[in-house]
């Protein structure tokens, strides 16, 4: 994976745009991951392979702690993230039921890719904080 | 030792020593099944009342609607995921690393979903009698708590019982 972390032309780094950037990275990396695991994706389905990768990204990421005065809009945004987690976990459980060994193999490959993605997420977060929301 | 007996011994030894794959105890399977049943109940209970839920104040209408849709979808996905996990564990009679991780994440998700419900509740209004909605909300909150605690207890047991690499 090569992401030009500090190239302003290539990457939007403001806090507001961080979510959008992360979604783009996740989408792109998931597509590459499916390509690298094409044979297993044919057995499990692309959606399941993508979910296996996402679960490995979610695993080390702590869930959002809501402030006591959070508005319904903020609570809804956090609930949507939880729903994405549940949906990915459900797809993995379904695939595991049908093909336990293949899921274990794909999961092993996903750990490395997920670690790389997590490092990028952390780096982007730090950069966004340092730039104070400036483009 | 006869060759067949030897072969069977090697097979069973290999099965038990298989890395990342451990047999599940009756208690662990019981907790997992209880978590799955609880998730299914929560998904059904919310689906029944969902249509009548509105925002207590109009400025929060969009947020409440978005939360309600995500809560319903998340509960349904978790119920199906846990049910598949129970079936998978029963089928393979073992808990692999993937299943252990999944249980830990499901426990964390259930606790966070409970927290979200507790915090969004003051902004919600149910259809018809306010007393009936209050009773439903109290019951939903309690049941979400029991579900989160059941999954957490299982996740902790699995963490403690996991042999060190």
């Amino acid at each position: 994976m090569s992401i030009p972390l500090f190239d302003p032309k290539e990457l939007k780094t403001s806090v507001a745009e961080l979510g959008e950037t992360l979604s783009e990275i996740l989408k792109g990396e998931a597509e590459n991951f499916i390509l690298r695991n094409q044979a297993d994706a044919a057995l499990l389905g692309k959606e399941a392979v993508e979910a296996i990768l996402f679960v490995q990204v979610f695993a080390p990421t702590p869930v959002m702690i809501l402030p006591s005065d959070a508005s319904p809009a903020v609570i809804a945004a956090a609930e949507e993230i939880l729903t994405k987690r549940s949906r990915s976990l459900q797809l993995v459980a379904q695939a595991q039921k049908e093909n336990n060994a293949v899921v274990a193999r794909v999961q092993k490959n996903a750990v490395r890719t997920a670690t790389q993605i997590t490092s990028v997420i952390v780096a982007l977060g730090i950069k966004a904080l340092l730039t104070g929301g400036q483009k | 030792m006869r060759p067949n007996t030897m072969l069977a011994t090697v097979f069973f030894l290999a099965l038990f020593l298989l890395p990342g794959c451990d047999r599940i105890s009756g208690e662990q399977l019981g907790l997992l099944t209880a978590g799955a049943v609880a998730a299914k109940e929560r998904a059904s209970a919310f689906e029944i009342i969902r249509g009548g839920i509105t925002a207590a104040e109009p400025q929060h209408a969009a947020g409440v609607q978005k939360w309600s849709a995500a809560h319903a979808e998340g509960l349904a996905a978790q119920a199906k995921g846990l049910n598949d996990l129970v079936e998978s564990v029963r089928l393979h009679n073992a808990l692999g690393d993937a299943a252990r991780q999944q249980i830990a994440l499901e426990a964390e998700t259930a606790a966070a979903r409970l927290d979200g419900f507790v915090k969004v509740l003051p902004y919600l209004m149910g259809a018809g009698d306010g007393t009936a909605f209050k009773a439903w909300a109290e019951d939903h909150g309690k049941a979400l708590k029991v579900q989160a605690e059941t999954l957490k207890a299982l996740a902790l047991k699995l963490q403690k019982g996991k042999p060190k690499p």
Side-chain angles (χ1 to χ4, degrees), chain A:
Chain A
M1 178 163 56
S2 64
I3 291 169
L5 269 185
F6 297 100
D7 182 350
K9 283 182 192 161
E10 296 290 328
L11 208 57
K12 296 165 185 169
T13 53
S14 76
V15 174
E17 287 169 330
L18 191 59
E20 194 190 318
T21 310
L22 294 182
S23 295
E24 280 169 21
I25 291 172
L26 270 179
K27 203 178 158 205
E29 286 308 311
E31 280 168 13
N32 289 339
F33 185 71
I34 291 167
L35 279 177
R36 288 201 300 277
N37 293 272
Q38 229 166 2
D40 289 337
L43 289 169
L44 301 175
K46 285 180 185 177
E47 225 187 354
V49 170
E50 190 183 69
I52 292 170
L53 176 66
F54 286 173
V55 167
Q56 293 314 311
V57 176
F58 291 140
T61 316
V63 289
M64 195 194 293
I65 298 166
L66 291 164
S68 52
D69 60 347
S71 71
V74 170
I75 302 169
E79 189 79 18
E80 282 182 338
I81 296 171
L82 295 178
T83 300
K84 277 183 190 155
R85 279 169 70 114
S86 293
R87 175 90 182 118
S88 295
L89 286 166
Q90 181 232 313
L91 286 166
V92 177
Q94 193 181 339
Q96 211 176 1
K97 191 174 70 174
E98 288 153 14
N99 220 328
N100 207 16
V102 182
V103 171
R105 185 166 60 215
V106 177
Q107 195 191 30
K108 212 173 165 186
N109 297 338
V111 172
R112 197 169 161 226
T113 308
T115 309
Q116 290 173 327
I117 295 173
T118 312
S119 314
V120 172
I121 291 173
V122 171
L124 282 174
I126 292 169
K127 196 184 172 195
L129 286 172
L130 289 176
T131 53
Q134 299 298 308
K135 273 192 191 178

Side-chain angles (χ1 to χ4, degrees), chain B residues 140-158:
Chain B
H140 190 59
K142 273 183 194 166
L144 282 175
K145 192 168 181 235
V146 170
Q147 188 212 350
E149 283 171 353
T150 306
L151 290 171
K152 193 181 174 186
L154 175 61
L156 285 173
K157 274 183 196 298
L158 292 174

Side-chain angles (χ1 to χ4, degrees), chain B residues 39-72:
Chain B
K40 199 177 172 188
E41 273 178 11
R42 281 313 90 212
S44 308
F46 188 71
E47 204 49 60
I48 290 167
I49 203 153
R50 188 186 158 192
I53 290 179
T54 50
E57 293 165 24
Q59 73 265 33
H60 295 307
V64 164
Q65 201 181 7
K66 212 168 137 188
W67 171 83
S68 170
H71 191 66

